[in-house]
């Protein structure tokens, strides 16, 4: 007999993590999407050197948790796989919409959307699909999804959003050929809005560059 795959909608709840407090003195609100293998509360450590008074960081949690080793002790998470991707992208965007709405971010604050590694694809898709008005869009050591076009980001040109791509010069996941493709993609999608920044290192989060983004 032939199997049939079906789908249902249901209500669920999901956590996310924050760092510092959102107050009248807050200048910058960050929405930061971690890479594969992280939990959001641990990803926040890369932002702990930013001014606590001026920066409020929101770290959404990737939905698919798993044990990192066969010792079943440490847990990580993944945003997406090749399985049922279109539906999962929509689920993630709905989740990010809910986080964004729940936080009630003041319009006086600068919104920075930041993605690292696998989180780059999440940040890029959410901003593009939901037309998220942000002052800075940061891609750190990851790939922008192929299906996104310059038209998807054209609204960022009107508001002159800064776009920064950060990558290590020995990143094992970004070969010279892959890096060339990503740089071309960055130019095609964002034109003169985009800046490419390179540091000495591999596939790691570069805290110094994070601190410089709001200096």
């Amino acid at each position: 007999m032939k199997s049939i795959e079906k789908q249902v909608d249901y209500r669920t709840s999901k956590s996310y993590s924050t760092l510092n407090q959102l107050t009248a003195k807050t200048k910058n609100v960050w929405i930061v999407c971690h890479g594969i293998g992280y939990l959001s509360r641990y990803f926040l450590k890369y932002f702990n050197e930013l001014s606590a008074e001026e920066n409020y960081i929101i770290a959404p949690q990737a939905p698919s948790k798993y044990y990192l080793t066969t010792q079943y002790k440490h847990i990580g998470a993944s945003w997406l796989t090749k399985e049922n991707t279109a539906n999962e992208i929509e689920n993630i965007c709905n989740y990010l919409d809910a986080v964004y709405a729940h936080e009630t971010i003041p319009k006086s604050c600068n919104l920075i959307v930041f993605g690292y590694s696998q989180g780059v694809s999440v940040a890029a898709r959410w901003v593009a699909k939901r037309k998220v008005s942000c002052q800075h869009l940061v891609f750190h050591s990851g790939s922008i999804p192929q299906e996104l076009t310059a038209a998807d980001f054209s609204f960022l040109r009107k508001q002159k959003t800064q776009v920064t791509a950060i990558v290590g010069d020995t990143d094992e996941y970004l070969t010279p050929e892959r890096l060339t493709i990503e740089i071309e993609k960055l130019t095609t999608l964002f034109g003169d809005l985009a800046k490419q920044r390179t540091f000495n290192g591999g596939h790691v989060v570069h805290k110094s560059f994070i601190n410089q983004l709001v200096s």
Side-chain angles (χ1 to χ4, degrees):
M1 296 179 66
K2 184 179 180 181
S3 65
I4 301 174
E5 185 170 281
K6 300 182 179 181
Q7 183 170 307
V8 297
D9 294 327
Y10 66 99
R11 183 175 178 178
T12 187
S13 62
K14 213 162 88 63
S15 66
Y16 64 98
S17 302
T18 63
L19 179 66
N20 307 327
Q21 297 292 321
L22 181 60
T23 71
K25 294 183 179 180
T26 302
K27 292 183 179 180
N28 308 299
V29 175
W30 301 62
I31 296 179
V32 299
C33 299
H34 62 76
I36 193 169
Y38 283 89
L39 292 180
S40 60
R41 62 180 179 271
Y42 299 126
F43 190 59
L44 286 173
K45 69 181 181 180
Y46 296 112
F47 303 86
N48 60 14
E49 293 180 5
L50 295 168
S51 167
E53 183 177 87
E54 296 182 355
N55 294 274
Y56 178 60
I57 299 92
I58 303 166
Q61 175 61 60
S64 300
K65 297 186 180 72
Y66 59 91
Y67 287 106
L68 294 173
T69 69
T70 54
Q71 294 178 344
Y72 302 105
K73 183 177 180 181
H74 300 293
I75 298 169
S78 172
W79 289 101
L80 291 164
T81 66
K82 293 180 180 180
E83 177 70 17
N84 202 16
T85 304
N87 185 64
E88 293 302 326
I89 289 171
E90 185 62 21
N91 287 339
I92 288 170
C93 285
N94 289 339
Y95 163 63
L96 294 176
D97 290 344
V99 171
Y100 183 78
H102 187 260
E103 286 293 331
T104 316
I105 300 168
K107 291 184 178 180
S108 59
C109 293
N110 296 314
L111 179 62
I112 302 169
V113 179
F114 178 103
Y116 168 69
S117 193
Q118 191 188 41
V120 168
S121 64
V122 174
R125 285 176 170 131
W126 183 57
V127 168
K129 290 178 177 296
R130 298 302 198 253
K131 300 295 182 278
V132 178
S133 179
C134 57
Q135 281 66 50
H136 205 156
L137 178 57
V138 185
F139 302 132
H140 191 326
S141 302
S143 297
I144 302 170
Q146 291 285 354
E147 80 270 11
L148 298 179
T149 67
D152 293 321
F153 295 104
S154 61
F155 70 101
L156 295 180
R157 291 179 178 274
K158 297 177 182 178
Q159 59 193 37
K160 298 182 179 179
T161 296
Q162 295 183 66
V163 180
T164 301
I166 302 170
V167 64
D169 59 6
T170 58
D171 190 321
E172 59 269 34
Y173 296 106
L174 287 173
T175 63
E177 294 79 15
R178 181 84 173 272
L179 184 58
T180 298
I181 292 172
E182 290 302 317
I183 292 173
E184 290 176 353
K185 196 185 303 180
L186 198 68
T187 302
T188 300
L189 295 178
F190 304 104
D192 56 6
L193 293 178
K195 294 180 180 179
Q196 172 81 31
R197 302 197 65 181
T198 305
F199 63 90
N200 296 325
H203 195 75
V204 295
V205 180
H206 198 282
K207 288 184 72 171
S208 294
F209 273 7
I210 290 175
N211 297 337
Q212 292 171 22
L213 291 172
V214 293
S215 62

